[in-house]
Amino acid sequence: MHDVHALAIRSIKASRALSALSCASRNKALRMIAEALIKRKELIFQNNQLDLDAAEASNLPAPLKKRLRFDESKLAQVCKGLEDVAASKDPLGITTLSEEITPGLDLYRVTCPIGVIGVIFESRPDALVQIASLTLKSGNAVLLKGGTEARNTNRVLCSILQDAAESAGIPRDFALLLETRDDVKKMLQEDECIDLIIPRGSNALVRYIKENTRIPVLGHSDGICHVYIDNDADLDMALNIAVDSKIQNVSVCNAEETLLVHKDIASTFLPQAAKAFERAHVQLVGDPVACSIIGCEPACDADWSTEYLDYKLSIAVVPTLEAAINHINHYGSHHTDCIVTHNEDHASIFLSQVDSSSVYVNCSTRFADGFVYGFGAEVGIATGKIHARGPMGMEGLTTYKYKLIGHGQTMQSKVNGDFEYTHQRLERPCPY
Amino acid sequence: MHDVHALAIRSIKASRALSALSCASRNKALRMIAEALIKRKELIFQNNQLDLDAAEASNLPAPLKKRLRFDESKLAQVCKGLEDVAASKDPLGITTLSEEITPGLDLYRVTCPIGVIGVIFESRPDALVQIASLTLKSGNAVLLKGGTEARNTNRVLCSILQDAAESAGIPRDFALLLETRDDVKKMLQEDECIDLIIPRGSNALVRYIKENTRIPVLGHSDGICHVYIDNDADLDMALNIAVDSKIQNVSVCNAEETLLVHKDIASTFLPQAAKAFERAHVQLVGDPVACSIIGCEPACDADWSTEYLDYKLSIAVVPTLEAAINHINHYGSHHTDCIVTHNEDHASIFLSQVDSSSVYVNCSTRFADGFVYGFGAEVGIATGKIHARGPMGMEGLTTYKYKLIGHGQTMQSKVNGDFEYTHQRLERPCPY
């Protein structure tokens, strides 16, 4: 158990120093971190083995043990990620607004770090490195709370990161480790020090955190993703997309949980789909019409709002495009939803009316991912609508400040009519 | 007392319809609202008189009664504001990212409305029209809770807005009125329906709201603004800015509360400043050095973190630029802070190191305002760092969605090596 307040104060100090660093020095630190991880990999593997043995002893489920493993291939992935982040464009110091308020009084809006970010993440220890690399590149200090199952691995990873950063001239407190639930509870009280909390994990965790802090939370909750097969769809393409979205990886948030089919093509499409899903051992539940066509089990109302994360799919037949959109907006989780159609008007209506962070035409829902989107890495997928939405890369870890450069202008001189507001857009970036 | 849940559901329905409206129809509604307000102004003035009489009867303080008044000049202001918002560029449908993931699979990020926004505002009834115009232009539905002292004026204004919107083909529920504290309490529970809460008012109100809701809050808390007079400052300019920032309007959040002066110029500058402030009846409190120079009352530690909103100013003499920056970051409220200097390096360090939403060089802190910044109007000034920061116009009322347009691509086909990610930037906006 730590003195979390003291850690938060150290994070603020570190964040002030980080915000003043050049992109070159942030990138140098990222590359030195990768080198240090490789140089000290045996130490990492040894500590990871301790966590794996403990997991074995306490009979943790196999998938969890798999996520816990940090081996050569994970190390390679992590170092590739660090290189990608180092190679990526600086998210800081970008002028996003440039305007003459009146001659000699210029306003600029420039991106800058948020400050101190608290991230609560799952049992994958490689996530620690990924998150720390994104917060470092974006000039933020981070408080990290990983899964307790990965305690030994997280400790050694974090200390290697801190040593490498320090030798690169970065404050070693750029990343600090929290370990217990009690630490998290204390972190949630630090609204004077911490600017943002990012919980990765269960819906329940996100709700708990939102209920217990005044700090803004960018949460990742359920992924109840839909594929809607329009009456103007190419049915072979539709089948590929519906199957891939469901089974390519059933345990991820961007996997399809509900299939919606337009009534005009239901009797042709559903029998083929049912065969394909049965071959893949996917359990099907449906609304009355779907049941009458493919004789699957009836779905209960809860099915439409359940994230199975498993070989199970709910199927509904809808009379119209509007009905499909209403179903998605009512039961969905605003994550990722797809329409399969060749009708441009239907695609356009679907894209504008479906209230989700990712809306797709003719491709698998599985593409909802920061790497796929080209963000290099992701801190998470935000299912809210504020600040950052959907896969969240470095841009989501920045904010901005307004810089106003004058020559002695006062409000009274404006009131006296000494000058008027011109509000002319300027074409130059902020000189400061 | 209302059935707030029912109102929130109506807001969601309205927001879905609003998100599908063209900019032309949103602008038409804004202009018809202005016409309707003028046509029915007598009714507004009558109801406003009821509120003014009640305020008189209960001896409300004069400034509050002044803010409560809705007369010809307020009406003219409000109509000008509606025209400005109607004339302003559409904040929706803007493509902010355009990228080829792989040939035939294109990703776009496009701005869209947030959805349903709850705004709690102060006793100025004209604020109701201003807020509703911004949420309408940005395609959002709004739940409005104004000051109880303005109940009659708010009721008539809101119903005029709803009638005008309806006759312009906009859902009349685009703006719905809440009236009691109990309504607010209920609104804070509607995290399934409401996407964002914007409280305008006291720090205490903002804290109360953050403590009692899972809904994201864009709060406006204290404005503890600083003016720092650098050793390289033009002292006449410094005096004008220091005085204007304090007295041009003492009761606003962007007024200066603390004056910081570099030690090298303190003995020359402070006596002139003291004279000017005394002429303006500003009470001065200072740190030991300031007191020794101008013989003012000593400041206690609380003074440095107090928003006076009055004819009072705290003064500190600092040994270095760094000391000034540390003072501001420690005691300030991240609102607006200014350096007066002719030294470009000092200006640059101040702008990058001061952690405030508006950082100024050589101009009055009073310019921190949405109108001055050219946003047409403002919903408030956000003192947090998430989503929107500083004066918040229409842009802060939008979010975005990712639109991915494919030709049948699946994740399995990627895994099979059928295609590689190219992540090429595209120059075209989203076709949908």
Side-chain angles (χ1 to χ4, degrees), chain A residues 158-185:
Chain A
C158 194
S159 66
I160 293 172
L161 262 58
Q162 293 169 327
D163 295 345
E166 197 168 29
S167 49
I170 303 273
R172 67 180 289 124
D173 288 350
F174 86 98
L176 291 167
L177 198 61
L178 301 181
E179 294 198 318
T180 67
R181 290 205 170 160
D182 192 67
D183 289 346
V184 171
K185 213 178 237 166

PDB file of all heavy atoms in Angstrom, chain A residues 158-185:
ATOM      1  N   CYS A 158       8.061  -1.655 -14.764  1.00  0.00           N
ATOM      2  CA  CYS A 158       7.984  -0.237 -14.414  1.00  0.00           C
ATOM      3  C   CYS A 158       9.350   0.287 -13.982  1.00  0.00           C
ATOM      4  O   CYS A 158       9.754   1.387 -14.379  1.00  0.00           O
ATOM      5  CB  CYS A 158       6.939  -0.010 -13.318  1.00  0.00           C
ATOM      6  SG  CYS A 158       6.512   1.736 -13.128  1.00  0.00           S
ATOM      7  N   SER A 159      10.101  -0.508 -13.217  1.00  0.00           N
ATOM      8  CA  SER A 159      11.411  -0.003 -12.760  1.00  0.00           C
ATOM      9  C   SER A 159      12.381   0.094 -13.947  1.00  0.00           C
ATOM     10  O   SER A 159      13.177   1.028 -14.018  1.00  0.00           O
ATOM     11  CB  SER A 159      11.979  -0.890 -11.648  1.00  0.00           C
ATOM     12  OG  SER A 159      12.286  -2.165 -12.157  1.00  0.00           O
ATOM     13  N   ILE A 160      12.287  -0.834 -14.895  1.00  0.00           N
ATOM     14  CA  ILE A 160      13.138  -0.738 -16.097  1.00  0.00           C
ATOM     15  C   ILE A 160      12.779   0.530 -16.878  1.00  0.00           C
ATOM     16  O   ILE A 160      13.654   1.291 -17.309  1.00  0.00           O
ATOM     17  CB  ILE A 160      12.983  -1.990 -16.996  1.00  0.00           C
ATOM     18  CG1 ILE A 160      13.554  -3.226 -16.284  1.00  0.00           C
ATOM     19  CG2 ILE A 160      13.665  -1.781 -18.343  1.00  0.00           C
ATOM     20  CD1 ILE A 160      13.275  -4.538 -16.998  1.00  0.00           C
ATOM     21  N   LEU A 161      11.481   0.799 -17.016  1.00  0.00           N
ATOM     22  CA  LEU A 161      11.032   2.013 -17.706  1.00  0.00           C
ATOM     23  C   LEU A 161      11.579   3.260 -17.013  1.00  0.00           C
ATOM     24  O   LEU A 161      12.105   4.171 -17.665  1.00  0.00           O
ATOM     25  CB  LEU A 161       9.501   2.070 -17.733  1.00  0.00           C
ATOM     26  CG  LEU A 161       8.797   1.605 -19.005  1.00  0.00           C
ATOM     27  CD1 LEU A 161       9.173   0.164 -19.326  1.00  0.00           C
ATOM     28  CD2 LEU A 161       7.281   1.719 -18.858  1.00  0.00           C
ATOM     29  N   GLN A 162      11.487   3.276 -15.687  1.00  0.00           N
ATOM     30  CA  GLN A 162      11.931   4.458 -14.936  1.00  0.00           C
ATOM     31  C   GLN A 162      13.431   4.671 -15.072  1.00  0.00           C
ATOM     32  O   GLN A 162      13.893   5.790 -15.316  1.00  0.00           O
ATOM     33  CB  GLN A 162      11.525   4.324 -13.469  1.00  0.00           C
ATOM     34  CG  GLN A 162      10.022   4.379 -13.259  1.00  0.00           C
ATOM     35  CD  GLN A 162       9.617   3.977 -11.852  1.00  0.00           C
ATOM     36  OE1 GLN A 162      10.242   3.128 -11.218  1.00  0.00           O
ATOM     37  NE2 GLN A 162       8.531   4.580 -11.361  1.00  0.00           N
ATOM     38  N   ASP A 163      14.208   3.556 -14.964  1.00  0.00           N
ATOM     39  CA  ASP A 163      15.670   3.669 -15.106  1.00  0.00           C
ATOM     40  C   ASP A 163      16.034   4.201 -16.488  1.00  0.00           C
ATOM     41  O   ASP A 163      16.832   5.135 -16.624  1.00  0.00           O
ATOM     42  CB  ASP A 163      16.334   2.297 -14.895  1.00  0.00           C
ATOM     43  CG  ASP A 163      16.142   1.771 -13.477  1.00  0.00           C
ATOM     44  OD1 ASP A 163      15.751   2.572 -12.596  1.00  0.00           O
ATOM     45  OD2 ASP A 163      16.351   0.559 -13.267  1.00  0.00           O
ATOM     46  N   ALA A 164      15.409   3.608 -17.516  1.00  0.00           N
ATOM     47  CA  ALA A 164      15.740   3.996 -18.892  1.00  0.00           C
ATOM     48  C   ALA A 164      15.371   5.462 -19.137  1.00  0.00           C
ATOM     49  O   ALA A 164      16.148   6.227 -19.708  1.00  0.00           O
ATOM     50  CB  ALA A 164      15.010   3.095 -19.880  1.00  0.00           C
ATOM     51  N   ALA A 165      14.199   5.854 -18.656  1.00  0.00           N
ATOM     52  CA  ALA A 165      13.761   7.240 -18.840  1.00  0.00           C
ATOM     53  C   ALA A 165      14.748   8.186 -18.166  1.00  0.00           C
ATOM     54  O   ALA A 165      15.188   9.175 -18.760  1.00  0.00           O
ATOM     55  CB  ALA A 165      12.360   7.419 -18.270  1.00  0.00           C
ATOM     56  N   GLU A 166      15.139   7.829 -16.939  1.00  0.00           N
ATOM     57  CA  GLU A 166      16.055   8.682 -16.187  1.00  0.00           C
ATOM     58  C   GLU A 166      17.362   8.859 -16.947  1.00  0.00           C
ATOM     59  O   GLU A 166      17.852   9.981 -17.112  1.00  0.00           O
ATOM     60  CB  GLU A 166      16.323   8.084 -14.810  1.00  0.00           C
ATOM     61  CG  GLU A 166      16.909   9.065 -13.818  1.00  0.00           C
ATOM     62  CD  GLU A 166      16.881   8.507 -12.403  1.00  0.00           C
ATOM     63  OE1 GLU A 166      16.943   7.270 -12.256  1.00  0.00           O
ATOM     64  OE2 GLU A 166      16.776   9.314 -11.456  1.00  0.00           O
ATOM     65  N   SER A 167      17.888   7.762 -17.475  1.00  0.00           N
ATOM     66  CA  SER A 167      19.164   7.880 -18.197  1.00  0.00           C
ATOM     67  C   SER A 167      18.969   8.609 -19.526  1.00  0.00           C
ATOM     68  O   SER A 167      19.928   9.048 -20.149  1.00  0.00           O
ATOM     69  CB  SER A 167      19.798   6.504 -18.416  1.00  0.00           C
ATOM     70  OG  SER A 167      18.862   5.603 -18.954  1.00  0.00           O
ATOM     71  N   ALA A 168      17.742   8.778 -19.943  1.00  0.00           N
ATOM     72  CA  ALA A 168      17.461   9.570 -21.156  1.00  0.00           C
ATOM     73  C   ALA A 168      17.135  11.023 -20.802  1.00  0.00           C
ATOM     74  O   ALA A 168      16.772  11.817 -21.667  1.00  0.00           O
ATOM     75  CB  ALA A 168      16.314   8.949 -21.940  1.00  0.00           C
ATOM     76  N   GLY A 169      17.232  11.357 -19.517  1.00  0.00           N
ATOM     77  CA  GLY A 169      16.990  12.736 -19.095  1.00  0.00           C
ATOM     78  C   GLY A 169      15.525  13.078 -18.876  1.00  0.00           C
ATOM     79  O   GLY A 169      15.150  14.249 -18.848  1.00  0.00           O
ATOM     80  N   ILE A 170      14.714  12.037 -18.699  1.00  0.00           N
ATOM     81  CA  ILE A 170      13.278  12.221 -18.443  1.00  0.00           C
ATOM     82  C   ILE A 170      13.046  11.953 -16.951  1.00  0.00           C
ATOM     83  O   ILE A 170      13.661  11.042 -16.398  1.00  0.00           O
ATOM     84  CB  ILE A 170      12.465  11.194 -19.267  1.00  0.00           C
ATOM     85  CG1 ILE A 170      12.778  11.306 -20.754  1.00  0.00           C
ATOM     86  CG2 ILE A 170      10.990  11.294 -18.984  1.00  0.00           C
ATOM     87  CD1 ILE A 170      11.947  12.302 -21.494  1.00  0.00           C
ATOM     88  N   PRO A 171      12.169  12.715 -16.282  1.00  0.00           N
ATOM     89  CA  PRO A 171      11.913  12.412 -14.865  1.00  0.00           C
ATOM     90  C   PRO A 171      11.454  10.968 -14.679  1.00  0.00           C
ATOM     91  O   PRO A 171      10.542  10.530 -15.378  1.00  0.00           O
ATOM     92  CB  PRO A 171      10.810  13.406 -14.470  1.00  0.00           C
ATOM     93  CG  PRO A 171      10.280  13.982 -15.735  1.00  0.00           C
ATOM     94  CD  PRO A 171      11.357  13.854 -16.761  1.00  0.00           C
ATOM     95  N   ARG A 172      12.102  10.217 -13.759  1.00  0.00           N
ATOM     96  CA  ARG A 172      11.745   8.798 -13.616  1.00  0.00           C
ATOM     97  C   ARG A 172      10.311   8.650 -13.105  1.00  0.00           C
ATOM     98  O   ARG A 172       9.699   7.594 -13.287  1.00  0.00           O
ATOM     99  CB  ARG A 172      12.750   8.024 -12.770  1.00  0.00           C
ATOM    100  CG  ARG A 172      12.827   8.369 -11.307  1.00  0.00           C
ATOM    101  CD  ARG A 172      13.887   7.494 -10.608  1.00  0.00           C
ATOM    102  NE  ARG A 172      13.454   6.109 -10.488  1.00  0.00           N
ATOM    103  CZ  ARG A 172      14.136   5.055 -10.965  1.00  0.00           C
ATOM    104  NH1 ARG A 172      15.273   5.223 -11.597  1.00  0.00           N
ATOM    105  NH2 ARG A 172      13.683   3.832 -10.805  1.00  0.00           N
ATOM    106  N   ASP A 173       9.774   9.684 -12.507  1.00  0.00           N
ATOM    107  CA  ASP A 173       8.374   9.623 -12.043  1.00  0.00           C
ATOM    108  C   ASP A 173       7.369   9.779 -13.177  1.00  0.00           C
ATOM    109  O   ASP A 173       6.176   9.898 -12.909  1.00  0.00           O
ATOM    110  CB  ASP A 173       8.127  10.707 -10.979  1.00  0.00           C
ATOM    111  CG  ASP A 173       8.817  10.375  -9.665  1.00  0.00           C
ATOM    112  OD1 ASP A 173       9.319   9.235  -9.511  1.00  0.00           O
ATOM    113  OD2 ASP A 173       8.881  11.264  -8.791  1.00  0.00           O
ATOM    114  N   PHE A 174       7.816   9.780 -14.427  1.00  0.00           N
ATOM    115  CA  PHE A 174       6.858   9.904 -15.555  1.00  0.00           C
ATOM    116  C   PHE A 174       5.829   8.774 -15.483  1.00  0.00           C
ATOM    117  O   PHE A 174       4.698   8.926 -15.939  1.00  0.00           O
ATOM    118  CB  PHE A 174       7.587   9.885 -16.896  1.00  0.00           C
ATOM    119  CG  PHE A 174       7.854   8.513 -17.459  1.00  0.00           C
ATOM    120  CD1 PHE A 174       7.011   7.964 -18.422  1.00  0.00           C
ATOM    121  CD2 PHE A 174       8.920   7.753 -17.001  1.00  0.00           C
ATOM    122  CE1 PHE A 174       7.250   6.689 -18.935  1.00  0.00           C
ATOM    123  CE2 PHE A 174       9.166   6.482 -17.508  1.00  0.00           C
ATOM    124  CZ  PHE A 174       8.333   5.946 -18.470  1.00  0.00           C
ATOM    125  N   ALA A 175       6.239   7.653 -14.905  1.00  0.00           N
ATOM    126  CA  ALA A 175       5.317   6.522 -14.705  1.00  0.00           C
ATOM    127  C   ALA A 175       5.506   5.988 -13.295  1.00  0.00           C
ATOM    128  O   ALA A 175       6.626   5.679 -12.901  1.00  0.00           O
ATOM    129  CB  ALA A 175       5.591   5.422 -15.726  1.00  0.00           C
ATOM    130  N   LEU A 176       4.423   5.921 -12.533  1.00  0.00           N
ATOM    131  CA  LEU A 176       4.479   5.410 -11.163  1.00  0.00           C
ATOM    132  C   LEU A 176       3.472   4.279 -11.018  1.00  0.00           C
ATOM    133  O   LEU A 176       2.399   4.297 -11.646  1.00  0.00           O
ATOM    134  CB  LEU A 176       4.192   6.522 -10.153  1.00  0.00           C
ATOM    135  CG  LEU A 176       5.267   7.611 -10.042  1.00  0.00           C
ATOM    136  CD1 LEU A 176       4.739   8.812  -9.262  1.00  0.00           C
ATOM    137  CD2 LEU A 176       6.527   7.054  -9.386  1.00  0.00           C
ATOM    138  N   LEU A 177       3.831   3.295 -10.190  1.00  0.00           N
ATOM    139  CA  LEU A 177       3.023   2.083 -10.090  1.00  0.00           C
ATOM    140  C   LEU A 177       2.159   2.069  -8.831  1.00  0.00           C
ATOM    141  O   LEU A 177       2.648   2.364  -7.739  1.00  0.00           O
ATOM    142  CB  LEU A 177       3.965   0.874 -10.084  1.00  0.00           C
ATOM    143  CG  LEU A 177       3.386  -0.497 -10.399  1.00  0.00           C
ATOM    144  CD1 LEU A 177       2.779  -0.531 -11.794  1.00  0.00           C
ATOM    145  CD2 LEU A 177       4.472  -1.570 -10.253  1.00  0.00           C
ATOM    146  N   LEU A 178       0.880   1.773  -8.997  1.00  0.00           N
ATOM    147  CA  LEU A 178      -0.003   1.494  -7.868  1.00  0.00           C
ATOM    148  C   LEU A 178      -0.256  -0.008  -7.868  1.00  0.00           C
ATOM    149  O   LEU A 178      -0.194  -0.657  -8.913  1.00  0.00           O
ATOM    150  CB  LEU A 178      -1.325   2.244  -8.017  1.00  0.00           C
ATOM    151  CG  LEU A 178      -1.252   3.778  -8.126  1.00  0.00           C
ATOM    152  CD1 LEU A 178      -2.646   4.364  -8.253  1.00  0.00           C
ATOM    153  CD2 LEU A 178      -0.540   4.368  -6.916  1.00  0.00           C
ATOM    154  N   GLU A 179      -0.554  -0.564  -6.689  1.00  0.00           N
ATOM    155  CA  GLU A 179      -0.639  -2.031  -6.651  1.00  0.00           C
ATOM    156  C   GLU A 179      -1.920  -2.594  -6.050  1.00  0.00           C
ATOM    157  O   GLU A 179      -2.351  -3.669  -6.443  1.00  0.00           O
ATOM    158  CB  GLU A 179       0.569  -2.596  -5.918  1.00  0.00           C
ATOM    159  CG  GLU A 179       1.863  -2.333  -6.673  1.00  0.00           C
ATOM    160  CD  GLU A 179       2.997  -3.224  -6.229  1.00  0.00           C
ATOM    161  OE1 GLU A 179       3.140  -3.429  -5.000  1.00  0.00           O
ATOM    162  OE2 GLU A 179       3.722  -3.729  -7.105  1.00  0.00           O
ATOM    163  N   THR A 180      -2.520  -1.888  -5.108  1.00  0.00           N
ATOM    164  CA  THR A 180      -3.671  -2.495  -4.420  1.00  0.00           C
ATOM    165  C   THR A 180      -4.979  -1.785  -4.784  1.00  0.00           C
ATOM    166  O   THR A 180      -4.970  -0.665  -5.290  1.00  0.00           O
ATOM    167  CB  THR A 180      -3.492  -2.389  -2.891  1.00  0.00           C
ATOM    168  OG1 THR A 180      -3.555  -1.007  -2.534  1.00  0.00           O
ATOM    169  CG2 THR A 180      -2.153  -2.983  -2.460  1.00  0.00           C
ATOM    170  N   ARG A 181      -6.086  -2.461  -4.481  1.00  0.00           N
ATOM    171  CA  ARG A 181      -7.401  -1.829  -4.675  1.00  0.00           C
ATOM    172  C   ARG A 181      -7.513  -0.585  -3.822  1.00  0.00           C
ATOM    173  O   ARG A 181      -8.119   0.406  -4.200  1.00  0.00           O
ATOM    174  CB  ARG A 181      -8.497  -2.812  -4.279  1.00  0.00           C
ATOM    175  CG  ARG A 181      -8.587  -3.937  -5.268  1.00  0.00           C
ATOM    176  CD  ARG A 181      -9.958  -4.568  -5.287  1.00  0.00           C
ATOM    177  NE  ARG A 181     -10.029  -5.465  -6.429  1.00  0.00           N
ATOM    178  CZ  ARG A 181     -10.906  -6.443  -6.556  1.00  0.00           C
ATOM    179  NH1 ARG A 181     -11.815  -6.632  -5.617  1.00  0.00           N
ATOM    180  NH2 ARG A 181     -10.904  -7.218  -7.616  1.00  0.00           N
ATOM    181  N   ASP A 182      -6.873  -0.659  -2.659  1.00  0.00           N
ATOM    182  CA  ASP A 182      -6.914   0.482  -1.753  1.00  0.00           C
ATOM    183  C   ASP A 182      -6.191   1.680  -2.392  1.00  0.00           C
ATOM    184  O   ASP A 182      -6.624   2.821  -2.251  1.00  0.00           O
ATOM    185  CB  ASP A 182      -6.259   0.098  -0.421  1.00  0.00           C
ATOM    186  CG  ASP A 182      -6.530   1.135   0.655  1.00  0.00           C
ATOM    187  OD1 ASP A 182      -7.707   1.253   1.057  1.00  0.00           O
ATOM    188  OD2 ASP A 182      -5.581   1.849   1.033  1.00  0.00           O
ATOM    189  N   ASP A 183      -5.101   1.380  -3.122  1.00  0.00           N
ATOM    190  CA  ASP A 183      -4.405   2.449  -3.858  1.00  0.00           C
ATOM    191  C   ASP A 183      -5.363   3.126  -4.835  1.00  0.00           C
ATOM    192  O   ASP A 183      -5.396   4.343  -4.959  1.00  0.00           O
ATOM    193  CB  ASP A 183      -3.220   1.874  -4.649  1.00  0.00           C
ATOM    194  CG  ASP A 183      -2.071   1.446  -3.748  1.00  0.00           C
ATOM    195  OD1 ASP A 183      -2.072   1.829  -2.562  1.00  0.00           O
ATOM    196  OD2 ASP A 183      -1.186   0.708  -4.233  1.00  0.00           O
ATOM    197  N   VAL A 184      -6.155   2.310  -5.532  1.00  0.00           N
ATOM    198  CA  VAL A 184      -7.094   2.854  -6.520  1.00  0.00           C
ATOM    199  C   VAL A 184      -8.112   3.753  -5.830  1.00  0.00           C
ATOM    200  O   VAL A 184      -8.370   4.880  -6.250  1.00  0.00           O
ATOM    201  CB  VAL A 184      -7.814   1.716  -7.276  1.00  0.00           C
ATOM    202  CG1 VAL A 184      -8.934   2.279  -8.144  1.00  0.00           C
ATOM    203  CG2 VAL A 184      -6.820   0.942  -8.124  1.00  0.00           C
ATOM    204  N   LYS A 185      -8.655   3.252  -4.702  1.00  0.00           N
ATOM    205  CA  LYS A 185      -9.631   4.033  -3.941  1.00  0.00           C
ATOM    206  C   LYS A 185      -9.041   5.398  -3.603  1.00  0.00           C
ATOM    207  O   LYS A 185      -9.670   6.436  -3.802  1.00  0.00           O
ATOM    208  CB  LYS A 185      -9.982   3.279  -2.651  1.00  0.00           C
ATOM    209  CG  LYS A 185     -11.414   3.479  -2.184  1.00  0.00           C
ATOM    210  CD  LYS A 185     -11.690   2.667  -0.919  1.00  0.00           C
ATOM    211  CE  LYS A 185     -12.869   1.723  -1.116  1.00  0.00           C
ATOM    212  NZ  LYS A 185     -12.957   0.698  -0.065  1.00  0.00           N
TER     213      LYS A 185
END
